[in-house]
Amino acid sequence: MLSWCDPHAFSSGTEGLKFSCSVAKRSSLSTALQSFLSISAELKQVAARSTNLLVDKTQSSTQQNGSTREGGIRACKNLGRSDAIEVSMNQNPQKLPMGGVRDDRYIPYKLAPDLEGGQKVLDMLCGAGFDARAAPTFDWIHDTFLVIIRMFPRCVPIPTTLVSMNGRYDPHFHVKLGAALRPLRYENTLIIGSGGSVHNLYRNHWEHMFRFNDNFAQPVPPDPWALQFRQAVEDSITCNTGPALRRALSRLMKHPRYRDAHGTDDHWMASLFVAGAAGGVDDTGPNTMMGECWELVNMCNTQCQLGSWD
């Protein structure tokens, strides 16, 4: 599943960035905007936060609407600037703070890191020639746990393994990364890519967020560049299968509106990861757009399912 998460959708994970609407409450809007601009450099440094998640559907029983289902989760993540990939192996990870969201919306949810699944992912990646490393102290950013909360809101904690992307943002590298973990799809594992179809923090409209804590306000329509790239994403996913899907999503980085839609590359890498995992010669789809939301006027969060549950 290709997805994006900022209550919901998979927003930019910024561990060192603790900036919330309380800033705007304590000061004028202009001061809040100046504060936001002053941390733009920090945003660039910590914006590499798209996350790939692998969901093991067999390792735990989940309760939903009174019925029992089999379910579980795994995930992976890479933060370095080398060619390395990191896999979270923190047995007791913390949830990093999320500005503008009430604590009761995410703090009570229990995390369930899957260390056995993480070791399997490490072995698979190393076997495929990747420089894969364990990350024993990695704490979870909201790009990871919000996805799970939204997908499994009334379930027991889902066993999850987090896998990083690579900080060089090479599209072909991330396609190969997804392809290396593709066999897990046949082992009762759900692969999730946490990214965004249109995600450029520098071109969003922040006024309603700062003044009213409303990220979904749409006082004006999205700009044409955002609508154009969003449509290109949908067409690339729904009109291609197999290796053609991998090529189509890789080519979008050369789209004339790509740099408008993605001021940094971090939120696009997840789409390439899932294309690698669901773009083999045997993958015939269907690839379906399942849902979408816009926030901050120009940020689009699109949820797609690659393949079928049947």
Side-chain angles (χ1 to χ4, degrees):
M1 180 181 292
L2 174 63
S3 203
W4 143 252
C5 141
D6 212 319
H8 195 294
F10 300 56
S11 111
S12 89
T14 52
E15 283 99 330
L17 179 61
K18 304 193 173 50
F19 182 74
S20 69
C21 291
S22 61
V23 174
K25 294 177 181 178
R26 292 193 299 265
S27 62
S28 66
L29 177 61
S30 60
T31 302
L33 289 173
Q34 291 172 3
S35 299
F36 176 76
L37 292 174
S38 69
I39 58 174
S40 61
E42 184 177 3
L43 268 173
K44 291 181 180 179
Q45 295 176 4
V46 297
R49 297 297 180 266
S50 295
T51 304
N52 313 313
L53 292 85
L54 311 181
V55 181
D56 182 340
K57 297 181 291 181
T58 64
Q59 292 195 1
S60 68
S61 296
T62 60
Q63 297 291 331
Q64 189 166 8
N65 297 327
S67 62
T68 301
R69 297 180 55 196
E70 292 298 313
I73 295 190
R74 304 175 178 172
C76 333
K77 181 167 179 87
N78 186 350
L79 312 177
R81 298 298 178 185
S82 66
D83 286 331
I85 291 294
E86 292 183 349
V87 178
S88 177
M89 296 292 283
N90 187 345
Q91 187 172 2
N92 297 296
Q94 303 298 310
K95 300 188 199 75
L96 294 174
M98 183 168 186
V101 178
R102 297 199 317 266
D103 288 352
D104 63 343
R105 301 294 294 272
Y106 69 96
I107 293 295
Y109 196 89
K110 303 299 182 182
L111 304 180
D114 182 4
L115 301 189
E116 180 182 352
Q119 187 58 55
K120 183 173 184 177
V121 168
L122 280 168
D123 293 342
M124 292 178 69
L125 292 177
C126 290
F130 287 94
D131 179 8
R133 310 169 185 176
T137 61
F138 177 74
D139 288 324
W140 292 25
I141 58 176
H142 62 270
D143 303 69
T144 59
F145 58 77
L146 284 186
V147 183
I148 302 170
I149 292 174
R150 293 291 185 172
M151 292 183 68
F152 307 98
R154 290 174 293 278
C155 298
V156 297
I158 307 296
T160 306
T161 301
L162 302 180
V163 181
S164 80
M165 64 180 161
N166 180 265
R168 295 187 188 277
Y169 306 134
D170 181 335
H172 309 296
F173 180 97
H174 289 86
V175 168
K176 292 178 181 178
L177 176 64
L181 299 179
R182 184 174 180 273
L184 293 174
R185 297 178 60 209
Y186 302 96
E187 300 179 16
N188 296 307
T189 298
L190 174 64
I191 298 177
I192 304 174
S194 161
S197 52
V198 179
H199 188 278
N200 188 341
L201 297 180
Y202 308 105
R203 303 200 65 176
N204 289 338
H205 293 211
W206 294 95
E207 179 180 358
H208 285 75
M209 183 66 184
F210 290 142
R211 295 181 63 186
F212 310 115
N213 200 22
D214 185 358
N215 57 309
F216 290 113
Q218 291 291 121
V220 295
D223 290 337
W225 56 264
L227 293 168
Q228 291 168 16
F229 190 78
R230 173 258 173 231
Q231 188 61 51
V233 172
E234 179 184 356
D235 293 343
S236 296
I237 292 174
T238 59
C239 298
N240 292 282
T241 60
L245 175 67
R246 296 173 176 176
R247 293 192 296 268
L249 292 181
S250 297
R251 281 197 305 268
L252 282 180
M253 293 187 73
K254 296 183 178 181
H255 190 283
R257 294 300 191 186
Y258 173 77
R259 190 49 70 200
D260 291 315
H262 290 271
T264 56
D265 296 322
D266 49 292
H267 279 79
W268 186 244
M269 294 301 104
S271 63
L272 302 170
F273 170 81
V274 293
V281 293
D282 297 330
D283 292 311
T284 58
N287 298 333
T288 309
M289 179 176 168
M290 307 296 290
E292 182 176 83
C293 69
W294 288 82
E295 56 182 327
L296 302 171
V297 175
N298 284 328
M299 192 155 70
C300 183
N301 310 312
T302 306
Q303 294 80 44
C304 297
Q305 178 177 299
L306 307 183
S308 172
W309 288 101
D310 298 330

